[in-house]
Amino acid sequence: MNLYTGQPNIPDIESFLAKSREILETKRLSNNGPMVKELECRLAEYLGVKHVVTVCNATIGLMAVVKLLGLTGEVILPAFTFIASAHVLQWEGIKPVFCDVDPLTHNIDACKVEGLITGKTTGIMGVHIWGRPCPHEELAALAHKHDLRLFYDSAHAFGTSYKSRPIASLEEISVLSFHATKSFNTFEGGAIVTNDDELARRAKLICNYSFEGEDNVTGLGINAKMTEIHAAMGLCSLDNHQQVLEHNKNVYMYYKQELSKIEGISLIDYPENEKHNYHYVIAEIDEGTFGCSRDTVHSSLKANGILARRYFYPGCHRSDPYKSLYPGLSFPNTESLCDRVLALPGGGGIDGFGQIDRIISILDGVRRIRT
Ligand code: T4K
C-alpha cells in the first residue's frame, strides 16, 4: 500500500454529508453564508483570537493582507519556505528580499534581517515553518525600530502556541492555510486572523471586492471568499481536530523513538511546554553519519511506494522566477536544509505503527546497503 506525506485527515463522513445536504436544500452556497459565519466564530474561540476571516486559500489571504497593510517596495522573508510565500509578494509587485534561516529552528534568522533593510523596505513576513514559532520578539523589535509592518505566514501553525500565547494571535495579522494537506483542512481554504477590530473589518471587506452593502464599492477588493461547502468541511474537521492532534502526536513520538536508534537521522523537536499540531514529521539526514544522501533515501522510499517530500527544495532563491530575477543569491543554512530535510508521511497518511516500521526498515536498509 502506498503512503504519502500530506494525505488529508478526513472527518466524520456522515456529518459532512448531512451538512452538504443542508447546503443544497437551502440553496445557500456562498457569500458569507451561515456555515462560514459559524466556522469563523468557532475558529476564533478555538484559536484564541478575536477575529477570523475565512478565505479560499492562504495564498490569496496573504495577498489580501499585503494590500491591507499597504506594503510596497521590498519585503523581507525567509528563503526556506514554500514558494507561495514569495509568489504572494512578487505577484503584488513587491520585491521579495530573502533572508537565511537558523539551522536549528528552520525559521528566519532575526540577526540577519537588519542588514537587509533598505529605504524601500516596508515589511517583514515571518513564516512559522512546521508550525514552530518565528523569533517573534526580535522581529517585532526590528519592525518597531525601522517602522515596518510585521505579519505572519502561519500556514503551518494551526492550533500551535508561543510562550503559551496562541501563535495565530502574534503581531497584528496572520494567515493560516486549511489546504487538504494541512492538519486542519477545508479541502482548500485558509483564514486571516487578527485581534485588531479595524483590520478585521477591512479584511472582510477586501475579501469581498470591497463591497459595503448592496452596491457601494469602497475601494480595491478581490474575491477571496470561502464557500459553504468548504466551511462545512471545516466544521466537521474542527469536531474531529482533537483526535487528529492525538493521532499526530502518537505518530510523531513513535517515529522519534524508533529513529533515535539510527545514527545520522534525527527528527525536529516540538518543545513539550508549547501546543503543537505535530503535523509535520521532519527528518534531517546527515549524509556523512547516516551513510547515504537524503536524495538516495527519498528515491528508495519512492521506489517502495512511499512518497516522502523534499520540502522546500531547492529553496525560493534557487527557483524561478527568483533565480532569474535576482541571480547570485546564496544562503548556506537554507541550502544545507534543502539538502538534508525529508518530510515523512505523518498524520492522515499513517493508520498504524506498522506502517512507520515499514518506512524505517526501508530507511535503515538503504543505509546498510551503502555502508
Ligand atoms: N505558506 C506556506 C509556508 C505554505 O506551506 C503554504 C502551502 C502556503 C503558504 C499557501 O497555502 P495555500 O494557498 O495552499 O492554502 C502542498 C500544498 O498544496 C500547500 O498548501 C502546502 N503549503 C505545501 C507545503 O504543500 P504538495 O505539493 O505537497 O501537495 P501534493 O499534491 O504533492 O500532495 C501531497 C500528497 O498528499 C500527494 O502525494 C497525494 C496526497 N494527497 C494530496 C491531496 C491534495 C491526497 O491524498 N489527497 C489530496 O487531496 O503541496
Side-chain angles (χ1 to χ4, degrees):
M1 187 189 156
N2 291 351
L3 300 172
Y4 305 97
T5 297
Q7 209 157 40
N9 294 305
I10 304 298
D12 183 64
I13 292 177
E14 291 311 318
S15 311
F16 176 70
L17 292 177
K19 287 197 190 316
S20 307
R21 187 177 190 86
E22 193 182 324
I23 290 168
L24 297 176
E25 283 176 354
T26 59
K27 299 188 181 177
R28 184 62 192 229
L29 309 187
S30 189
N31 286 9
N32 205 25
M35 299 229 183
V36 160
K37 285 185 181 144
E38 186 185 344
L39 181 63
E40 290 181 347
C41 265
R42 283 188 58 195
L43 282 176
E45 192 181 342
Y46 188 80
L47 295 169
V49 285
K50 204 163 166 195
H51 303 285
V52 170
V53 176
T54 53
V55 287
C56 52
N57 61 60
T59 307
I60 300 285
L62 283 163
M63 285 165 63
V65 163
V66 164
K67 276 277 187 289
L68 270 183
L69 298 180
L71 300 175
T72 56
E74 299 177 357
V75 168
I76 298 167
L77 78 164
F80 187 70
T81 179
F82 186 57
I83 204 71
S85 317
H87 280 354
V88 161
L89 299 171
Q90 190 68 38
W91 197 271
E92 295 286 342
I94 293 169
K95 179 178 177 186
V97 175
F98 298 113
C99 181
D100 209 355
V101 295
D102 178 328
L104 288 179
T105 65
H106 302 188
N107 276 316
I108 193 165
D109 184 346
C111 302
K112 298 200 171 110
V113 170
E114 195 158 28
L116 299 170
I117 297 173
T118 70
K120 292 184 186 158
T121 312
T122 55
I124 303 170
M125 178 200 280
V127 185
H128 303 301
I129 296 289
W130 320 130
R132 297 193 300 180
C134 283
H136 173 64
E137 276 90 2
E138 290 88 336
L139 293 179
L142 281 170
H144 183 71
K145 180 174 166 193
H146 295 274
D147 197 19
L148 305 175
R149 304 301 288 263
L150 171 63
F151 65 108
Y152 286 116
D153 172 342
S154 300
H156 301 177
F158 187 86
T160 63
S161 76
Y162 173 69
K163 296 192 178 168
S164 305
R165 281 172 67 188
I167 213 172
S169 74
L170 294 181
E171 215 32 54
E172 55 185 357
I173 201 155
S174 202
V175 179
L176 299 162
S177 170
F178 304 156
H179 183 260
T181 56
K182 299 291 188 289
S183 71
F184 170 84
N185 91 80
T186 60
F187 296 112
E188 289 268 359
I192 299 172
V193 295
T194 179
N195 286 326
D196 183 305
D197 297 345
E198 180 55 13
L199 274 178
R201 187 190 70 78
R202 290 178 49 222
K204 197 78 189 167
L205 272 184
I206 207 174
C207 291
N208 184 28
Y209 318 95
S210 287
F211 264 112
E212 200 159 14
E214 212 173 287
D215 44 25
N216 181 28
V217 181
T218 55
L220 186 62
I222 197 166
N223 180 1
K225 292 179 275 75
M226 178 179 274
T227 73
E228 287 292 277
I229 199 79
H230 293 86
M233 183 65 165
L235 289 168
C236 298
S237 296
L238 203 50
D239 289 339
N240 187 42
H241 199 58
Q242 194 50 39
Q243 270 165 271
V244 167
L245 290 181
E246 283 161 24
H247 174 70
N248 285 358
K249 186 167 182 182
N250 289 338
V251 165
Y252 168 83
M253 293 307 230
Y254 188 74
Y255 265 114
K256 183 103 185 152
Q257 172 193 301
E258 295 304 306
L259 286 175
S260 69
K261 298 171 189 165
I262 304 176
E263 262 196 299
I265 183 164
S266 56
L267 282 195
I268 61 162
D269 283 318
Y270 291 110
E272 279 289 325
N273 56 345
E274 298 285 359
K275 274 172 74 181
H276 296 288
N277 54 41
Y278 295 92
H279 180 62
Y280 289 102
V281 178
I282 303 298
E284 285 186 59
I285 295 170
D286 175 44
E287 183 172 350
T289 324
F290 187 70
C292 67
S293 71
R294 185 276 315 268
D295 285 352
T296 304
V297 175
H298 178 246
S299 316
S300 305
L301 288 172
K302 203 181 223 172
N304 284 280
I306 294 159
L307 193 68
R309 296 303 297 266
R310 301 185 299 171
Y311 292 144
F312 295 104
Y313 178 85
C316 293
H317 63 297
R318 295 194 294 187
S319 304
D320 267 323
Y322 311 105
K323 73 172 183 218
S324 305
L325 286 171
Y326 317 112
L329 292 174
S330 162
F331 301 108
N333 295 337
T334 295
E335 287 160 25
S336 166
L337 285 178
C338 287
D339 290 342
R340 288 204 316 266
V341 162
L342 194 61
L344 297 170
I350 296 290
D351 292 333
F353 291 158
Q355 294 173 326
I356 303 178
D357 290 336
R358 189 176 141 225
I359 292 170
I360 293 180
S361 102
I362 295 165
L363 283 169
D364 202 27
V366 71
R367 175 181 75 105
R368 284 172 198 280
I369 292 165
R370 301 279 162 152
T371 48

